[in-house]
Coordinates of all heavy atoms in Angstrom, one line a residue:
M1478 N 94.7 104.7 123.3 CA 94.4 105.9 122.5 C 94.3 105.6 121.1 O 95.0 104.9 120.5 CB 95.6 106.9 122.8 CG 95.2 108.3 122.5 SD 96.6 109.4 122.9 CE 97.4 108.7 124.3
K1479 N 93.2 106.1 120.5 CA 92.9 105.8 119.1 C 93.8 106.6 118.1 O 94.0 107.8 118.3 CB 91.4 106.2 118.8 CG 90.9 105.6 117.5 CD 89.4 105.9 117.4 CE 88.8 105.2 116.2 NZ 89.6 105.5 114.9
F1480 N 94.3 105.9 117.1 CA 95.1 106.6 116.1 C 94.3 107.4 115.2 O 93.4 106.8 114.5 CB 95.9 105.5 115.4 CG 96.9 106.0 114.3 CD1 98.0 106.7 114.7 CD2 96.6 105.9 113.0 CE1 98.9 107.2 113.7 CE2 97.5 106.4 112.0 CZ 98.6 107.0 112.4
P1481 N 94.4 108.7 115.1 CA 93.4 109.6 114.5 C 93.6 109.8 113.0 O 92.7 110.2 112.3 CB 93.6 110.9 115.2 CG 95.0 111.0 115.6 CD 95.4 109.5 115.8
F1482 N 94.8 109.5 112.5 CA 95.1 109.9 111.1 C 94.5 108.9 110.1 O 94.3 107.7 110.4 CB 96.7 109.9 110.8 CG 97.4 111.0 111.5 CD1 97.8 110.8 112.8 CD2 97.6 112.2 110.9 CE1 98.5 111.8 113.5 CE2 98.3 113.2 111.5 CZ 98.7 113.0 112.8
S1483 N 94.1 109.4 108.9 CA 93.6 108.5 107.9 C 94.8 107.8 107.2 O 94.6 106.7 106.5 CB 92.8 109.3 106.9 OG 93.6 110.3 106.3
D1484 N 96.0 108.3 107.3 CA 97.2 107.6 106.8 C 97.4 106.3 107.6 O 97.0 106.2 108.8 CB 98.4 108.4 107.0 CG 98.3 109.8 106.3 OD1 97.6 110.6 106.9 OD2 98.8 110.0 105.3
E1485 N 98.1 105.3 107.0 CA 98.4 104.1 107.7 C 99.3 104.4 108.9 O 100.2 105.3 108.8 CB 99.1 103.1 106.7 CG 98.2 102.6 105.7 CD 97.1 101.7 106.2 OE1 97.4 100.9 107.2 OE2 96.0 101.9 105.7
P1486 N 99.2 103.7 110.0 CA 100.1 103.9 111.1 C 101.6 103.7 110.8 O 102.4 104.4 111.4 CB 99.6 102.9 112.2 CG 98.2 102.6 111.8 CD 98.2 102.7 110.3
N1487 N 101.9 102.9 109.8 CA 103.3 102.6 109.5 C 103.8 103.6 108.4 O 104.9 103.4 107.8 CB 103.5 101.2 109.1 CG 102.8 100.8 107.8 OD1 102.0 101.6 107.2 ND2 102.9 99.6 107.3
T1488 N 103.0 104.6 108.1 CA 103.5 105.6 107.1 C 104.8 106.2 107.5 O 105.0 106.7 108.7 CB 102.4 106.8 106.9 OG1 101.2 106.2 106.5 CG2 102.9 107.8 106.0
A1489 N 105.8 106.3 106.6 CA 107.1 106.9 106.9 C 107.0 108.3 107.2 O 106.3 109.1 106.4 CB 108.1 106.6 105.8
T1490 N 107.6 108.8 108.3 CA 107.4 110.2 108.8 C 108.7 110.7 109.2 O 109.5 110.0 109.8 CB 106.4 110.1 110.0 OG1 105.1 109.6 109.5 CG2 106.2 111.5 110.6
I1491 N 109.0 112.0 108.9 CA 110.3 112.6 109.3 C 110.1 113.3 110.6 O 109.2 114.1 110.8 CB 110.8 113.5 108.2 CG1 111.1 112.8 106.9 CG2 112.0 114.3 108.7 CD1 111.4 113.7 105.8
V1492 N 111.0 113.0 111.6 CA 111.1 113.8 112.8 C 112.6 114.2 112.9 O 113.4 113.6 112.2 CB 110.7 113.0 114.1 CG1 109.2 112.7 114.0 CG2 111.6 111.8 114.3
C1493 N 112.9 115.2 113.7 CA 114.3 115.5 114.0 C 114.8 114.7 115.2 O 113.9 114.2 116.0 CB 114.5 117.0 114.2 SG 113.7 117.7 115.6
C1494 N 116.1 114.6 115.4 CA 116.6 113.8 116.5 C 116.2 114.4 117.8 O 116.0 113.6 118.8 CB 118.1 113.7 116.3 SG 119.0 115.3 116.3
H1495 N 115.9 115.7 117.9 CA 115.5 116.3 119.2 C 114.2 115.8 119.6 O 113.9 115.6 120.8 CB 115.5 117.8 119.0 CG 116.7 118.4 118.3 ND1 116.7 118.9 117.1 CD2 118.0 118.4 118.7 CE1 117.9 119.2 116.7 NE2 118.8 118.9 117.6
V1496 N 113.3 115.7 118.6 CA 111.9 115.2 118.9 C 112.0 113.8 119.2 O 111.3 113.3 120.2 CB 111.0 115.5 117.7 CG1 109.7 114.7 117.8 CG2 110.7 117.0 117.5
L1497 N 112.7 113.0 118.4 CA 112.8 111.5 118.7 C 113.3 111.2 120.1 O 112.8 110.3 120.7 CB 113.7 110.9 117.6 CG 113.8 109.4 117.7 CD1 112.4 108.8 117.4 CD2 114.8 108.9 116.6
E1498 N 114.3 112.0 120.5 CA 114.9 111.8 121.8 C 114.2 112.5 122.9 O 114.6 112.5 124.1 CB 116.4 112.1 121.8 CG 117.2 111.2 120.9 CD 118.5 111.8 120.4 OE1 118.9 112.8 120.9 OE2 119.0 111.3 119.4
K1499 N 113.1 113.2 122.5 CA 112.3 113.9 123.5 C 113.0 115.0 124.2 O 112.7 115.4 125.4 CB 111.5 113.0 124.4 CG 110.7 112.0 123.7 CD 109.8 111.2 124.7 CE 109.0 110.1 123.9 NZ 108.1 109.3 124.7
N1500 N 114.0 115.6 123.6 CA 114.8 116.7 124.1 C 114.0 118.0 123.8 O 114.3 119.0 124.5 CB 116.2 116.8 123.6 CG 117.0 115.6 124.0 OD1 116.9 115.2 125.2 ND2 117.9 115.1 123.2
E1501 N 113.2 118.0 122.8 CA 112.5 119.2 122.4 C 111.1 118.8 122.0 O 110.9 117.7 121.5 CB 113.1 119.9 121.2 CG 114.6 120.3 121.4 CD 114.7 121.7 122.1 OE1 113.6 122.3 122.3 OE2 115.8 122.1 122.4
P1502 N 110.1 119.7 122.3 CA 108.7 119.4 121.8 C 108.5 119.6 120.3 O 109.3 120.3 119.7 CB 107.9 120.4 122.6 CG 108.8 121.6 122.8 CD 110.2 121.0 122.9
I1503 N 107.5 119.0 119.8 CA 107.1 119.2 118.4 C 106.4 120.6 118.3 O 105.4 120.8 118.8 CB 106.2 118.1 117.9 CG1 106.9 116.7 117.9 CG2 105.8 118.4 116.4 CD1 106.0 115.6 117.6
L1504 N 107.1 121.5 117.5 CA 106.5 122.8 117.4 C 106.3 123.2 115.9 O 105.8 124.3 115.6 CB 107.4 123.9 118.0 CG 107.6 123.8 119.6 CD1 108.5 124.9 120.1 CD2 106.2 123.8 120.3
F1505 N 106.7 122.3 115.0 CA 106.5 122.5 113.6 C 106.1 121.2 112.9 O 106.7 120.1 113.2 CB 107.9 123.0 112.9 CG 107.8 123.1 111.5 CD1 107.4 124.3 110.9 CD2 108.1 122.1 110.6 CE1 107.3 124.5 109.5 CE2 108.0 122.2 109.2 CZ 107.6 123.4 108.7
A1506 N 105.1 121.3 112.1 CA 104.6 120.1 111.4 C 104.4 120.5 109.9 O 103.9 121.6 109.7 CB 103.3 119.6 112.0
S1507 N 104.7 119.6 109.0 CA 104.3 119.9 107.6 C 103.8 118.6 107.0 O 104.2 117.5 107.4 CB 105.5 120.5 106.8 OG 106.5 119.5 106.6
H1508 N 103.0 118.8 105.9 CA 102.5 117.7 105.2 C 102.8 118.0 103.7 O 102.3 118.8 103.1 CB 100.9 117.6 105.4 CG 100.3 116.3 105.0 ND1 99.0 116.1 105.0 CD2 100.9 115.1 104.7 CE1 98.7 114.9 104.7 NE2 99.8 114.3 104.5
D1509 N 103.8 117.2 103.2 CA 104.5 117.6 102.0 C 103.5 117.5 100.8 O 102.7 116.5 100.7 CB 105.7 116.7 101.8 CG 106.6 117.2 100.7 OD1 106.4 117.0 99.5 OD2 107.5 117.9 101.1
E1510 N 103.6 118.5 99.9 CA 102.7 118.5 98.8 C 103.0 117.5 97.7 O 102.2 116.9 97.1 CB 102.8 119.9 98.1 CG 101.8 120.1 97.0 CD 101.4 121.6 96.8 OE1 102.3 122.4 97.1 OE2 100.2 121.8 96.5
D1511 N 104.3 117.2 97.6 CA 104.8 116.3 96.5 C 104.5 114.8 96.8 O 103.9 114.1 96.1 CB 106.3 116.4 96.2 CG 106.5 117.9 95.7 OD1 105.7 118.4 95.0 OD2 107.6 118.4 96.0
D1512 N 104.9 114.4 98.0 CA 104.8 112.9 98.3 C 103.9 112.7 99.5 O 103.8 111.5 100.0 CB 106.2 112.4 98.6 CG 107.0 113.1 99.6 OD1 106.4 113.9 100.4 OD2 108.2 112.9 99.7
G1513 N 103.3 113.7 100.1 CA 102.4 113.5 101.2 C 103.0 113.1 102.5 O 102.4 112.7 103.4
M1514 N 104.3 113.3 102.6 CA 105.1 112.9 103.8 C 104.9 113.9 104.9 O 104.9 115.1 104.7 CB 106.5 112.8 103.5 CG 107.3 112.0 104.5 SD 109.0 111.7 104.0 CE 109.2 110.0 104.3
W1515 N 104.6 113.4 106.1 CA 104.5 114.2 107.3 C 105.9 114.5 107.9 O 106.8 113.6 107.9 CB 103.7 113.5 108.4 CG 102.2 113.4 108.1 CD1 101.6 112.4 107.5 CD2 101.2 114.4 108.4 NE1 100.2 112.7 107.4 CE2 100.0 113.9 107.9 CE3 101.2 115.7 109.0 CZ2 98.8 114.6 108.1 CZ3 100.0 116.3 109.1 CH2 98.8 115.8 108.7
Q1516 N 106.1 115.7 108.4 CA 107.3 116.0 109.2 C 106.9 116.7 110.5 O 106.1 117.5 110.5 CB 108.2 117.0 108.4 CG 108.8 116.5 107.1 CD 109.8 117.5 106.6 OE1 110.6 118.1 107.3 NE2 109.8 117.7 105.3
F1517 N 107.6 116.2 111.5 CA 107.3 116.8 112.9 C 108.7 117.2 113.5 O 109.5 116.3 113.8 CB 106.6 115.8 113.8 CG 105.2 115.4 113.2 CD1 105.0 114.2 112.6 CD2 104.2 116.3 113.3 CE1 103.8 113.9 112.1 CE2 102.9 116.0 112.8 CZ 102.7 114.8 112.1
L1518 N 108.9 118.5 113.6 CA 110.2 119.0 114.0 C 110.1 119.9 115.2 O 109.0 120.4 115.5 CB 110.9 119.8 112.8 CG 110.9 119.0 111.5 CD1 111.5 120.0 110.4 CD2 111.8 117.8 111.6
C1519 N 111.2 120.2 115.8 CA 111.2 121.0 117.1 C 111.1 122.5 116.8 O 110.9 123.2 117.7 CB 112.4 120.7 117.9 SG 113.9 121.2 117.2
G1520 N 111.3 122.9 115.6 CA 111.1 124.3 115.3 C 112.5 125.0 115.1 O 112.5 126.2 114.7
H1521 N 113.6 124.4 115.5 CA 114.9 125.0 115.3 C 115.3 124.6 113.9 O 114.8 123.8 113.2 CB 115.9 124.4 116.3 CG 115.5 124.8 117.7 ND1 115.5 126.1 118.2 CD2 115.2 124.0 118.8 CE1 115.1 126.1 119.5 NE2 114.9 124.9 119.9
T1522 N 116.4 125.3 113.5 CA 117.0 124.9 112.2 C 117.8 123.6 112.3 O 118.2 123.3 113.4 CB 117.9 126.0 111.7 OG1 118.9 126.3 112.7 CG2 117.2 127.3 111.3
H1523 N 117.8 122.9 111.2 CA 118.4 121.5 111.3 C 119.4 121.2 110.2 O 119.2 121.8 109.1 CB 117.3 120.5 111.2 CG 116.4 120.5 112.4 ND1 115.2 121.1 112.4 CD2 116.5 119.9 113.6 CE1 114.6 121.0 113.6 NE2 115.4 120.3 114.3
E1524 N 120.4 120.4 110.4 CA 121.2 119.8 109.4 C 120.5 118.6 108.9 O 119.7 118.0 109.6 CB 122.6 119.4 110.0 CG 123.3 120.6 110.6 CD 123.7 121.7 109.7 OE1 123.9 121.4 108.5 OE2 123.7 122.8 110.1
T1525 N 120.7 118.2 107.7 CA 120.0 117.0 107.1 C 120.3 115.7 107.9 O 119.5 114.9 108.0 CB 120.4 116.8 105.7 OG1 121.8 116.8 105.5 CG2 119.8 117.8 104.8
D1526 N 121.5 115.7 108.6 CA 121.8 114.5 109.3 C 121.1 114.4 110.7 O 121.2 113.5 111.4 CB 123.3 114.3 109.5 CG 123.9 115.4 110.4 OD1 123.2 116.3 110.8 OD2 125.2 115.3 110.6
E1527 N 120.3 115.4 111.0 CA 119.5 115.4 112.2 C 118.1 114.8 111.9 O 117.3 114.7 112.9 CB 119.4 116.8 112.8 CG 120.7 117.2 113.3 CD 120.7 118.7 113.9 OE1 120.2 119.5 113.1 OE2 121.2 118.9 115.0
A1528 N 117.7 114.5 110.7 CA 116.4 114.0 110.3 C 116.4 112.5 110.6 O 117.4 111.8 110.5 CB 116.1 114.2 108.9
R1529 N 115.3 112.0 111.1 CA 115.1 110.6 111.4 C 113.8 110.1 110.8 O 112.8 110.9 110.8 CB 115.0 110.3 112.9 CG 116.2 110.8 113.7 CD 117.4 109.9 113.5 NE 118.6 110.3 114.3 CZ 119.5 111.2 113.9 NH1 119.4 111.7 112.7 NH2 120.5 111.5 114.7
I1530 N 113.7 108.9 110.3 CA 112.5 108.4 109.7 C 111.9 107.4 110.7 O 112.5 106.4 111.1 CB 112.8 107.6 108.4 CG1 113.5 108.5 107.4 CG2 111.4 107.1 107.8 CD1 112.6 109.3 106.5
I1531 N 110.7 107.7 111.1 CA 109.9 106.8 112.0 C 108.5 106.6 111.4 O 108.2 107.2 110.4 CB 109.9 107.3 113.4 CG1 109.1 108.7 113.5 CG2 111.3 107.5 114.0 CD1 108.8 109.2 114.9
S1532 N 107.7 105.8 112.0 CA 106.4 105.6 111.6 C 105.5 106.7 112.1 O 105.8 107.4 113.1 CB 105.8 104.3 112.0 OG 105.6 104.3 113.4
L1533 N 104.4 107.0 111.4 CA 103.5 108.0 111.9 C 102.9 107.6 113.3 O 102.7 108.5 114.1 CB 102.3 108.2 110.9 CG 101.3 109.3 111.1 CD1 102.0 110.6 111.2 CD2 100.3 109.3 109.9
L1534 N 102.7 106.4 113.5 CA 102.3 105.9 114.8 C 103.3 106.3 115.9 O 102.9 106.7 117.0 CB 102.0 104.4 114.8 CG 101.6 103.8 116.1 CD1 100.3 104.4 116.6 CD2 101.5 102.3 116.0
A1535 N 104.6 106.0 115.6 CA 105.6 106.4 116.6 C 105.6 107.8 116.9 O 105.8 108.3 118.0 CB 107.0 105.9 116.1
A1536 N 105.4 108.7 115.9 CA 105.4 110.1 116.1 C 104.2 110.5 116.9 O 104.3 111.3 117.8 CB 105.3 110.8 114.7
F1537 N 103.1 109.9 116.7 CA 101.9 110.1 117.5 C 102.1 109.7 118.9 O 101.6 110.4 119.8 CB 100.7 109.4 116.8 CG 99.4 109.5 117.6 CD1 98.7 110.7 117.7 CD2 98.9 108.3 118.2 CE1 97.6 110.7 118.4 CE2 97.7 108.4 118.9 CZ 97.0 109.6 119.1
E1538 N 102.8 108.6 119.1 CA 103.1 108.2 120.5 C 104.0 109.1 121.2 O 103.9 109.3 122.5 CB 103.6 106.8 120.5 CG 102.5 105.8 120.2 CD 103.0 104.3 120.0 OE1 104.3 104.1 119.8 OE2 102.2 103.4 120.0
I1539 N 104.9 109.8 120.5 CA 105.8 110.8 121.1 C 105.0 112.0 121.6 O 105.2 112.5 122.7 CB 106.9 111.2 120.1 CG1 107.9 110.1 119.9 CG2 107.6 112.5 120.6 CD1 108.9 110.4 118.7
D1540 N 104.0 112.4 120.8 CA 103.2 113.5 121.2 C 101.8 113.4 120.5 O 101.6 113.8 119.4 CB 103.8 114.8 120.7 CG 103.0 116.0 121.1 OD1 101.9 115.9 121.7 OD2 103.5 117.2 120.9
P1541 N 100.8 112.9 121.3 CA 99.5 112.7 120.7 C 98.8 113.9 120.3 O 97.8 113.9 119.5 CB 98.7 112.0 121.9 CG 99.8 111.4 122.8 CD 101.0 112.3 122.6
S1542 N 99.3 115.1 120.7 CA 98.6 116.3 120.3 C 98.8 116.6 118.8 O 98.1 117.5 118.3 CB 99.1 117.5 121.1 OG 100.4 117.9 120.8
I1543 N 99.7 115.9 118.1 CA 99.8 116.1 116.7 C 98.6 115.5 116.0 O 98.3 115.8 114.8 CB 101.1 115.4 116.1 CG1 101.1 113.9 116.2 CG2 102.3 116.1 116.7 CD1 102.2 113.2 115.5
G1544 N 97.8 114.7 116.7 CA 96.5 114.2 116.2 C 95.6 115.3 115.8 O 94.7 115.1 114.9
E1545 N 95.7 116.5 116.4 CA 94.9 117.6 116.0 C 95.1 118.0 114.5 O 94.2 118.6 113.9 CB 95.3 118.9 116.8 CG 94.8 119.0 118.2 CD 95.2 120.3 118.8 OE1 95.2 121.3 118.2 OE2 95.7 120.2 120.0
L1546 N 96.2 117.5 113.9 CA 96.5 117.9 112.5 C 96.1 116.9 111.5 O 96.4 116.9 110.4 CB 98.0 118.2 112.4 CG 98.6 119.3 113.3 CD1 100.1 119.3 113.3 CD2 98.0 120.6 112.8
K1547 N 95.3 115.9 112.0 CA 95.0 114.7 111.1 C 94.3 115.1 109.8 O 94.5 114.5 108.8 CB 94.1 113.8 111.9 CG 92.8 114.3 112.2 CD 92.0 113.3 113.1 CE 90.7 113.9 113.6 NZ 89.7 114.3 112.6
D1548 N 93.6 116.3 109.8 CA 92.9 116.7 108.6 C 93.7 117.8 107.8 O 93.1 118.3 106.9 CB 91.5 117.2 109.0 CG 90.6 116.2 109.6 OD1 90.7 115.0 109.1 OD2 89.9 116.5 110.6
M1549 N 94.9 118.1 108.2 CA 95.7 119.1 107.5 C 96.0 118.5 106.1 O 96.7 117.5 106.0 CB 96.9 119.4 108.3 CG 97.7 120.6 107.6 SD 99.0 121.3 108.7 CE 100.3 120.0 108.5
P1550 N 95.7 119.2 105.0 CA 95.9 118.6 103.7 C 97.4 118.7 103.3 O 98.2 119.5 103.9 CB 95.1 119.5 102.8 CG 94.5 120.6 103.6 CD 94.9 120.5 105.0
C1551 N 97.8 118.0 102.3 CA 99.1 118.1 101.7 C 99.3 119.6 101.2 O 98.4 120.2 100.7 CB 99.3 117.2 100.5 SG 99.2 115.4 100.9
G1552 N 100.6 120.0 101.4 CA 100.9 121.4 100.9 C 100.6 122.4 102.0 O 100.7 123.6 101.8
Y1553 N 100.4 122.0 103.3 CA 100.2 122.9 104.4 C 101.2 122.5 105.5 O 101.7 121.4 105.6 CB 98.8 122.8 104.9 CG 97.8 123.5 104.1 CD1 97.4 122.9 102.9 CD2 97.3 124.7 104.5 CE1 96.4 123.6 102.1 CE2 96.4 125.4 103.7 CZ 96.0 124.8 102.5 OH 95.1 125.5 101.7
Y1554 N 101.5 123.5 106.3 CA 102.4 123.3 107.5 C 101.7 124.0 108.7 O 100.8 124.8 108.5 CB 103.8 123.8 107.3 CG 103.9 125.4 107.3 CD1 104.2 126.0 108.4 CD2 103.6 126.1 106.1 CE1 104.3 127.4 108.4 CE2 103.7 127.5 106.1 CZ 104.1 128.1 107.3 OH 104.2 129.5 107.3
A1555 N 102.1 123.6 109.9 CA 101.6 124.1 111.1 C 102.7 124.4 112.1 O 103.7 123.7 112.2 CB 100.6 123.2 111.7
T1556 N 102.5 125.5 112.8 CA 103.4 125.9 113.9 C 102.6 126.2 115.2 O 101.4 126.5 115.1 CB 104.2 127.1 113.5 OG1 103.4 128.2 113.2 CG2 105.1 126.9 112.3
R1557 N 103.3 126.1 116.3 CA 102.7 126.6 117.5 C 103.9 127.1 118.4 O 105.0 126.7 118.3 CB 101.9 125.5 118.2 CG 102.7 124.2 118.5 CD 101.9 123.1 119.1 NE 102.7 121.9 119.2 CZ 102.2 120.7 119.8 NH1 101.0 120.7 120.2 NH2 103.0 119.7 119.8
E1558 N 103.5 128.0 119.4 CA 104.5 128.6 120.2 C 105.0 127.6 121.3 O 106.2 127.6 121.7 CB 103.9 129.8 120.9 CG 103.6 131.0 120.0 CD 104.8 131.6 119.4 OE1 105.8 131.8 120.2 OE2 104.9 131.9 118.2
S1559 N 104.1 126.8 121.8 CA 104.5 125.8 122.8 C 103.5 124.6 122.7 O 102.5 124.8 122.0 CB 104.4 126.4 124.2 OG 103.1 126.6 124.6
I1560 N 103.7 123.6 123.4 CA 102.8 122.4 123.3 C 101.4 122.8 123.9 O 100.5 122.1 123.7 CB 103.4 121.2 123.9 CG1 103.8 121.4 125.4 CG2 104.5 120.6 123.1 CD1 104.2 120.1 126.1
E1561 N 101.4 123.8 124.7 CA 100.1 124.3 125.3 C 99.2 125.0 124.3 O 98.0 125.2 124.4 CB 100.2 125.1 126.5 CG 100.6 124.3 127.8 CD 102.1 124.1 127.8 OE1 102.9 125.0 127.3 OE2 102.6 123.1 128.4
D1562 N 99.9 125.6 123.2 CA 99.2 126.4 122.3 C 98.5 125.6 121.2 O 98.9 124.4 121.0 CB 100.2 127.4 121.6 CG 100.5 128.5 122.5 OD1 99.6 129.2 123.0 OD2 101.7 128.7 122.8
H1563 N 97.6 126.2 120.5 CA 97.0 125.5 119.4 C 97.8 125.7 118.1 O 98.5 126.6 118.0 CB 95.6 126.1 119.1 CG 94.6 125.6 120.1 ND1 94.1 124.3 120.2 CD2 93.9 126.2 121.1 CE1 93.3 124.1 121.2 NE2 93.2 125.3 121.8
W1564 N 97.7 124.7 117.3 CA 98.4 124.8 116.0 C 97.8 125.9 115.1 O 96.6 126.1 115.0 CB 98.2 123.4 115.2 CG 99.0 122.3 115.9 CD1 98.5 121.3 116.6 CD2 100.4 122.1 115.7 NE1 99.5 120.5 117.0 CE2 100.7 120.9 116.5 CE3 101.5 122.7 115.1 CZ2 101.9 120.3 116.6 CZ3 102.7 122.2 115.2 CH2 103.0 121.0 115.9
I1565 N 98.7 126.6 114.4 CA 98.3 127.6 113.4 C 98.7 127.0 112.0 O 99.9 126.8 111.8 CB 99.0 128.9 113.7 CG1 98.5 129.5 115.0 CG2 98.7 129.9 112.5 CD1 99.3 130.6 115.5
V1566 N 97.8 126.8 111.2 CA 98.0 126.1 109.9 C 98.2 127.1 108.8 O 97.4 128.1 108.7 CB 96.9 125.1 109.6 CG1 97.1 124.5 108.2 CG2 96.8 124.0 110.7
N1567 N 99.2 127.0 108.0 CA 99.4 127.8 106.8 C 99.7 127.0 105.6 O 100.2 125.9 105.7 CB 100.6 128.7 107.1 CG 100.3 129.8 108.1 OD1 99.6 130.8 107.8 ND2 100.8 129.7 109.3
K1568 N 99.5 127.6 104.4 CA 99.9 127.0 103.2 C 101.4 127.1 102.9 O 101.9 128.1 103.2 CB 99.1 127.6 102.0 CG 99.0 126.8 100.8 CD 98.0 127.4 99.8 CE 97.7 126.5 98.7 NZ 98.6 125.4 98.3
I1569 N 102.0 126.0 102.5 CA 103.4 126.1 102.1 C 103.6 126.9 100.9 O 102.9 126.7 99.9 CB 104.0 124.6 102.0 CG1 103.8 123.9 103.3 CG2 105.4 124.7 101.5 CD1 104.2 122.4 103.1
H1570 N 104.5 127.9 100.9 CA 104.8 128.6 99.7 C 105.7 127.9 98.8 O 106.6 127.2 99.3 CB 105.5 130.0 100.1 CG 104.6 130.8 101.0 ND1 103.5 131.4 100.5 CD2 104.7 131.2 102.3 CE1 102.9 132.1 101.5 NE2 103.7 131.9 102.6
S1571 N 105.5 128.0 97.5 CA 106.2 127.1 96.6 C 107.7 127.5 96.5 O 108.5 126.6 96.3 CB 105.6 127.2 95.2 OG 105.5 128.6 94.8
N1572 N 108.1 128.7 96.8 CA 109.5 129.0 96.8 C 110.2 128.7 98.1 O 111.5 128.8 98.1 CB 109.7 130.5 96.4 CG 109.2 131.5 97.4 OD1 108.8 131.0 98.5 ND2 109.1 132.7 97.1
E1573 N 109.5 128.4 99.1 CA 110.1 127.9 100.4 C 111.1 128.9 100.9 O 112.1 128.4 101.6 CB 110.7 126.5 100.2 CG 109.6 125.5 99.9 CD 110.1 124.1 99.9 OE1 111.3 123.8 99.8 OE2 109.2 123.2 100.1
G1574 N 111.0 130.2 100.6 CA 112.0 131.1 101.1 C 112.0 131.3 102.6 O 113.0 131.7 103.2
D1575 N 110.9 130.9 103.3 CA 110.8 131.1 104.7 C 111.5 129.9 105.5 O 111.4 129.9 106.7 CB 109.4 131.3 105.1 CG 108.4 130.2 104.6 OD1 109.0 129.2 104.1 OD2 107.2 130.3 104.8
L1576 N 112.0 129.0 104.8 CA 112.7 127.9 105.5 C 114.0 128.4 106.2 O 114.6 127.7 107.0 CB 113.0 126.7 104.6 CG 111.8 125.9 104.2 CD1 112.3 124.7 103.3 CD2 111.0 125.4 105.4
N1577 N 114.5 129.5 105.7 CA 115.7 130.1 106.3 C 115.5 130.8 107.6 O 116.4 131.3 108.3 CB 116.4 131.0 105.3 CG 116.8 130.3 104.1 OD1 117.2 129.1 104.1 ND2 116.6 130.9 102.9
E1578 N 114.3 130.9 108.0 CA 113.9 131.7 109.2 C 114.6 131.2 110.4 O 114.6 130.0 110.7 CB 112.4 131.6 109.4 CG 111.8 132.6 110.3 CD 112.0 134.0 109.9 OE1 112.0 134.3 108.7 OE2 112.1 134.9 110.7
Ligands
ZN1336 ZN1 115.0 119.4 116.2

């Protein structure tokens, strides 16, 4: 399977422990505006100690459907209801008030 991202495969990427252990699907993705870091999370709320750093390639191998987001610019995030649904991309609000959702 071809790696679709323009980022290097070894780019540091944040996932939550649920995604890493494949207990939960990836339902939230963000591409950080400040440092360009990708995050792929299960969509539940998280404690900071549930974050894991892996390579972008490893995240892609967990769920190749994140490749759909390869062109999502920095400063945007995407959500989906389930892995069968398409990603819905939105701009990240600067005050990040919706992270408490
Ligand atoms: Zn999680």
